[in-house]
């Protein structure tokens, strides 16, 4: 069944949840229902329309990770680089982004913020196990440890509902 859009008290987007969790939140009085689907759910004592958009009664402060806590992962390297190939500037779709070791692992290069960049598949084939000089390639900028990462919450197109649109503008 349908998913439910979750808004902060100030109408900013927080995420998407399962309709069952949304119903739970309504019954425990944590949220206000802003929009409902046509489907009705019934229990022995009551009935309600399935929530489509809910808003928290209490404001939740969204805290970004502090600099020392951003863990080094391939996914975080991609987020730092915004999925842009650091050689040719092409923006990769999620599964097309690879990690390039600037100093190749075969030459002693390590997994670190400074030695890895987002790289498209064609550039990764060109670079292969070569150093920058050997491959004749240049980085668009020197990679560093990011100060903060902002994760873009992606809503699957299939689950995007008309009732949500005015809250996502
Ligand atoms: Zn590239």
């Amino acid at each position: 069944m349908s998913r439910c859009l979750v808004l902060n008290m100030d109408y900013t987007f927080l995420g998407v949840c399962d309709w069952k969790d949304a119903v739970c939140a309504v019954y425990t009085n944590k949220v206000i229902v802003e929009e409902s689907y046509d489907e009705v759910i019934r229990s022995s004592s009551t009935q309600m329309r399935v929530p489509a958009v809910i808003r928290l009664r209490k404001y939740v402060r969204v805290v970004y990770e502090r600099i020392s806590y951003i863990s080094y992962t391939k996914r975080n390297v991609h987020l730092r680089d915004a999925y842009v190939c650091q050689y040719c500037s092409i923006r990769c779709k999620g599964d097309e982004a690879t990690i390039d070791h600037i100093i190749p692992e075969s030459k002693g290069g390590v997994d670190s913020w400074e030695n890895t960049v987002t790289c498209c598949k064609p550039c990764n084939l060109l670079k292969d196990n070569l150093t920058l000089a050997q491959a004749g390639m240049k980085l668009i900028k020197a990679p560093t440890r990011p100060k903060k990462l902002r994760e873009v919450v992606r809503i699957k197109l299939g689950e995007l509902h008309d009732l949500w649109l005015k809250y996502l503008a």
Side-chain angles (χ1 to χ4, degrees), residues 2-3 13 26 28 47 72 85-86 119 138 144 163 167:
S2 311
R3 310 254 292 158
F13 172 77
V26 173
T28 52
Q47 64 176 52
Y72 173 85
C85 172
Q86 297 299 294
C119 184
K138 267 188 187 157
T144 56
L163 288 173
Y167 300 98

Side-chain angles (χ1 to χ4, degrees), residues 72-88 92 96-103 110-121 123-124 127 132 137-145:
Y72 173 85
T73 62
K74 288 181 176 179
R75 184 175 154 69
N76 282 346
V77 170
H78 291 322
L79 286 174
R80 176 196 65 186
D81 299 337
Y83 285 85
V84 170
C85 172
Q86 297 299 294
Y87 294 105
C88 72
C92 305
E96 289 166 4
T98 68
I99 293 287
D100 176 61
H101 290 79
I102 299 167
I103 299 168
V110 294
D111 284 332
S112 69
W113 290 114
E114 294 78 14
N115 192 50
T116 51
V117 289
T118 301
C119 184
C120 71
K121 283 178 181 168
C123 285
N124 212 330
K127 174 98 169 8
L132 289 178
M137 293 168 75
K138 267 188 187 157
L139 288 162
I140 56 177
K141 62 176 185 294
T144 56
R145 171 182 285 275

Side-chain angles (χ1 to χ4, degrees), residues 7-10 14 30-31 55-61:
L7 303 173
N8 212 337
M9 196 185 83
D10 63 354
L14 276 182
K30 291 196 174 77
V31 297
R55 185 165 63 88
L56 301 189
R57 288 185 186 277
K58 262 192 188 164
Y59 183 78
V60 173
R61 190 176 292 276

Side-chain angles (χ1 to χ4, degrees), residues 23 27 40-49:
V23 170
Y27 275 115
V40 175
I41 46 162
R42 290 179 177 85
S43 72
S44 50
S45 56
T46 180
Q47 64 176 52
M48 74 184 287
R49 284 166 68 197

